[in-house]
């Protein structure tokens, strides 16, 4: 989606419907629903302790979600998230997508089956017939009276949890700190539903014992004010009507999408890639969509949502022929210091033929996309370079067997390499007994200079320790020569792969 003349976007929608606002709405509504599902699962997990603990936890759950503010938030989040899902389906130009994105979309479309059935038979029954949907009654229903329905609800609740976890993962995966917390968060994502299912099963076994007493069962049904057969049929009709409406909305969305594609089919643009590859697509397609349409591998860590910069391309097109970048796209490009002829492939919707060159290899890891990608094509940067080598290494190696030389060099490289990394540098070359390291690549030349001096001191100390460890093998202590230079340097990814 790109900026266009005031009042409307390039796709004809009003300018307040920007990708950034849509993204924030989707994120906010998704987080609310994720918290709702998480609180449900945590409440289930209390069943491992006792049924009474589940009922106590339910009091807190109801206090949060069944007050006017919580109810409005939840209903608004459901409506917003569902509407944005239909909107995303309408905007989609094709169905080629990464597997993770297809799974997330499919799971998302199943979530209404969870919410509609659950809300109608709990909140709806409570409002219409005064039904008291206690955990004891729900466990009895799902574990003893209708176990098939219980299995279905458990599966669909796990679907909602998985969809939410995927959304959180792809929201946070580009954060610098996320890699450090990914393992405990992944463990938590698995542990929460497992504990919830175990808690539900424990409560189910306990309720089964209690239900063996007819008097207890009669009293529970009376206290819960379970709707009669007519009431249950009315609730089922309401559920079916809502599900039918949602299915109809999905069908209308797909129909509208098909009509739009038919309308655009007569207007196409040609996008040329390196290696003489050319893809012809209707106007309105993004460059990333064109790549996928043509089966051309194209990096896109965030799945084409404009949250990263890994899909960016260098564009060759006539002057003033490209739609201007939206505010969100311009902000991402500015963050990575992109040139004027670089655009995000997931946001650029060309109206004329053009040539593009992807700047990030499609196989690059997400953690490297914002680091290595910035210098993939080569650019001038201000940084510090440290050079070091062993003094007298030639005469030293001549007196030793080849295996001994390899052993000595490996110990040497390990010692100085650790010192470089601890100081914040990048050891990018080991040649013979020589080492070259870069400092300030991401922090600036001033900080790089300080890091280089710290690394030099650490390297000297490491060499002294290495000489002490190998004193019986060395006639003289090892000596290290170090040079540091700061200034303009052209850096880039060179070599194969």
């Amino acid at each position: 989606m790109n900026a266009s003349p005031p009042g409307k976007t390039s796709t004809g929608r009003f300018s307040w419907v920007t990708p950034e606002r849509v993204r924030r709405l989707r994120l906010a509504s998704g987080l609310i629903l994720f918290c709702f599902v998480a609180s449900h699962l945590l409440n289930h997990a209390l069943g491992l302790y006792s049924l009474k603990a589940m009922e106590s936890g339910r009091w807190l759950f109801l206090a949060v979600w069944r007050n006017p503010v919580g109810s409005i938030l939840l209903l608004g989040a459901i409506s917003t998230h569902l509407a944005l899902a239909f909107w995303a389906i309408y905007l989609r130009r094709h169905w080629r997508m990464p597997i993770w994105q297809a799974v997330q979309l499919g799971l998302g479309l199943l979530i209404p089956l969870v919410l509609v059935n659950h809300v109608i038979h709990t909140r709806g029954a409570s409002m219409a017939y005064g039904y008291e949907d206690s955990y004891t009654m729900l466990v009895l229903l799902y574990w003893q009276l209708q176990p098939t329905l219980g299995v279905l609800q458990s599966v669909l609740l796990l679907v909602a949890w998985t969809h939410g976890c995927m959304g959180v993962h792809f929201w946070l995966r580009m954060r610098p700190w996320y890699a450090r917390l990914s393992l405990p968060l992944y463990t938590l994502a698995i542990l929460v539903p497992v504990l919830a299912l175990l808690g539900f099963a424990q409560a189910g076994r306990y309720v089964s014992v209690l239900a063996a007493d007819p008097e207890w069962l009669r009293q529970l049904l009376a206290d819960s004010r379970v709707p009669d057969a007519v009431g249950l049929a009315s609730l089922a009709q309401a559920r079916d009507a809502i599900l039918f409406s949602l299915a109809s909305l999905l069908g209308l969305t797909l129909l509208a999408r098909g009509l739009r594609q038919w309308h655009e089919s007569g207007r196409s643009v040609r996008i040329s890639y390196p290696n003489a590859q050319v893809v012809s697509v209707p106007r309105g397609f993004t460059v990333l969509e064109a790549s996928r349409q043509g089966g051309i591998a194209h990096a896109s860590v965030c799945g084409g949502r404009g949250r990263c910069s890994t899909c960016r391309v260098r564009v060759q097109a006539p002057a003033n022929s490209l739609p201007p970048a939206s505010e969100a796209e311009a902000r991402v490009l500015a963050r990575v210091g992109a040139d004027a002829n670089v655009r995000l492939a997931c946001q650029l919707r060309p109206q004329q033929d053009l040539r593009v060159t992807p700047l990030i290899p499609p196989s690059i890891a997400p953690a490297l996309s914002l680091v290595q990608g910035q210098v993939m094509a080569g650019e001038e940067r201000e940084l510090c370079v440290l050079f070091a080598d062993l003094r007298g290494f030639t005469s030293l190696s001549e007196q030793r067997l080849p295996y001994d030389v390899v052993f000595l060099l490996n110990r040497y490289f390990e010692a100085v390499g650790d010192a470089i990394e601890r100081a914040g540098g990048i050891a990018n070359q080991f040649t013979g007994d020589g080492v070259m390291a870069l400092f300030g690549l991401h922090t600036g030349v001033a900080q790089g200079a300080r890091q280089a001096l710290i690394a030099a001191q650490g390297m000297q100390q490491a060499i002294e320790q290495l000489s002490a460890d190998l004193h019986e093998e060395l006639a003289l202590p090892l000596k290290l020569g170090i040079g540091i230079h700061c200034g303009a340097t052209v850096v880039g990814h060179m070599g194969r792969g």
Side-chain angles (χ1 to χ4, degrees):
M1 217 175 287
N2 302 286
S4 45
K8 291 192 176 183
T9 63
S10 59
T11 55
R13 297 179 292 276
F14 292 104
S15 58
W16 57 268
V17 187
T18 64
E20 181 64 18
R21 287 174 178 167
V22 169
R23 186 188 70 82
R24 290 177 179 177
L25 275 175
R26 181 182 292 111
L27 177 61
S29 60
L31 288 176
I32 292 173
L33 294 176
F34 185 72
C35 290
F36 176 77
V37 174
S39 59
H40 244 310
L41 293 175
L42 292 174
N43 211 158
H44 289 354
L46 292 175
L48 284 171
Y49 183 73
S50 69
L51 184 61
K52 185 177 180 180
M54 292 181 75
E55 295 289 5
S56 299
R58 179 177 177 272
W59 176 87
L60 178 61
F61 175 85
L62 295 182
V64 173
W65 298 110
R66 289 200 182 176
N67 66 76
V69 175
S71 297
I72 292 173
L73 277 177
L74 182 59
L75 182 60
I78 294 172
S79 303
T80 300
H81 212 66
L82 196 58
L84 292 178
F86 287 152
W87 182 247
I89 291 173
Y90 169 76
L91 292 180
R92 181 167 288 280
R93 305 286 173 166
H94 59 85
W95 296 110
R96 292 186 178 90
M97 65 185 83
I99 294 178
W100 67 262
Q101 199 171 6
V103 171
Q104 189 181 25
L105 178 61
L107 294 178
L109 292 176
L110 290 175
I111 290 178
L113 297 177
V114 185
L115 295 175
V116 171
N117 189 67
H118 188 71
V119 170
I120 286 295
H121 287 92
T122 54
R123 188 67 180 273
S126 176
M127 295 175 63
Y129 302 101
Y131 170 61
E132 180 63 36
D133 55 327
S134 66
Y135 256 116
T136 303
M137 186 62 215
L138 289 175
V139 171
L140 175 67
L141 173 65
Y142 291 146
W143 186 265
Q144 182 112 0
L145 302 181
Q146 296 188 25
T148 303
L149 183 60
V151 171
L152 178 62
Q153 284 294 107
S154 298
V155 170
L156 294 177
L157 194 61
L158 293 178
V159 165
W161 175 255
T162 304
H163 176 80
C165 287
M166 292 180 70
V168 171
H169 169 70
F170 287 106
W171 168 44
L172 296 177
R173 67 183 300 190
M174 300 301 296
R175 302 294 194 277
W177 50 265
Y178 182 65
R180 299 192 300 272
L181 298 179
S182 59
L183 183 58
L185 290 177
Y186 180 73
T187 303
L188 190 63
I190 295 177
L191 198 60
V192 167
V194 169
L195 292 177
L197 292 176
L198 291 176
F200 178 74
Q202 179 69 16
R205 287 193 291 268
Y206 180 67
V207 168
S208 295
V209 175
L210 296 177
D213 182 359
E215 180 60 25
W216 179 89
L217 185 59
R218 185 193 64 78
Q219 187 63 43
L220 175 64
L221 295 176
D223 293 342
S224 300
R225 297 187 291 275
V226 178
D228 56 19
V230 175
L232 291 175
S234 177
L235 292 172
Q237 289 177 355
R239 177 201 62 198
D240 294 342
I242 294 175
L243 291 176
F244 178 78
S245 299
L246 292 176
S248 299
L249 285 175
L250 178 59
L252 290 174
T253 301
L254 294 172
L255 177 62
R257 176 182 174 274
L259 291 174
R260 189 204 65 224
Q261 286 189 308
W262 172 77
H263 175 70
E264 293 175 344
S265 61
R267 304 177 300 159
S268 62
V269 295
R270 289 166 54 86
I271 301 177
S272 302
Y273 295 80
N275 301 323
Q277 295 173 298
V278 179
V279 177
S280 181
V281 294
R283 292 183 185 178
F285 271 50
T286 65
V287 173
L288 180 60
E289 289 170 336
S291 298
R292 291 175 176 171
Q293 181 82 356
I296 298 174
H298 202 137
S300 177
V301 170
C302 72
R305 300 175 183 178
R307 299 180 188 176
C308 68
S309 64
T310 55
C311 69
R312 63 187 183 274
V313 293
R314 179 173 287 110
V315 182
Q316 295 178 355
N320 302 322
S321 65
L322 296 180
S326 65
E327 179 182 352
E329 181 186 2
R331 183 165 56 251
V332 172
L333 292 173
R335 181 179 177 185
V336 300
D339 295 334
N341 62 342
V342 173
R343 297 290 298 270
L344 296 185
C346 69
Q347 302 297 307
L348 175 59
R349 302 180 186 273
Q351 301 300 308
Q352 299 182 20
D353 296 351
L354 76 165
R355 176 179 295 276
V356 299
T357 302
L359 298 181
I360 307 294
S363 59
I364 193 170
L368 299 177
S369 59
L370 292 180
V371 178
Q372 188 177 5
Q374 293 179 9
V375 295
M376 187 60 61
E379 62 179 359
E380 185 174 302
R381 301 283 288 274
E382 290 282 339
L383 50 80
C384 288
V385 181
L386 180 149
F387 302 91
D389 65 351
L390 286 172
R391 297 306 192 201
F393 175 74
T394 301
S395 58
L396 181 66
S397 61
E398 288 175 349
Q399 303 169 9
R400 297 178 178 278
L401 295 174
Y403 284 111
D404 295 337
V405 175
V406 171
F407 169 77
L408 177 60
L409 283 177
N410 283 334
R411 292 290 304 274
Y412 159 65
F413 288 143
E414 181 181 4
V416 297
D418 288 346
I420 291 169
E421 290 181 0
R422 284 196 302 268
I426 299 174
N428 71 324
Q429 282 190 26
F430 293 95
T431 305
D433 63 316
V435 178
M436 186 175 81
L438 306 180
F439 296 87
L441 188 60
H442 314 302
T443 59
V445 66
Q447 180 66 17
R450 288 188 285 269
Q451 292 174 337
L453 291 174
I454 294 173
Q457 183 180 21
M459 292 165 67
Q460 288 285 11
Q461 294 172 350
I463 289 300
E464 291 174 2
Q465 182 61 48
L466 180 60
S467 295
D469 293 341
L470 302 178
H471 69 279
E472 294 183 357
E473 300 292 328
L474 300 173
L476 296 172
L478 297 173
K479 293 187 179 296
L480 189 64
I482 301 176
I484 299 175
H485 176 77
C486 297
T489 306
V490 176
V491 293
H493 179 76
M494 293 179 290
R496 182 175 180 270

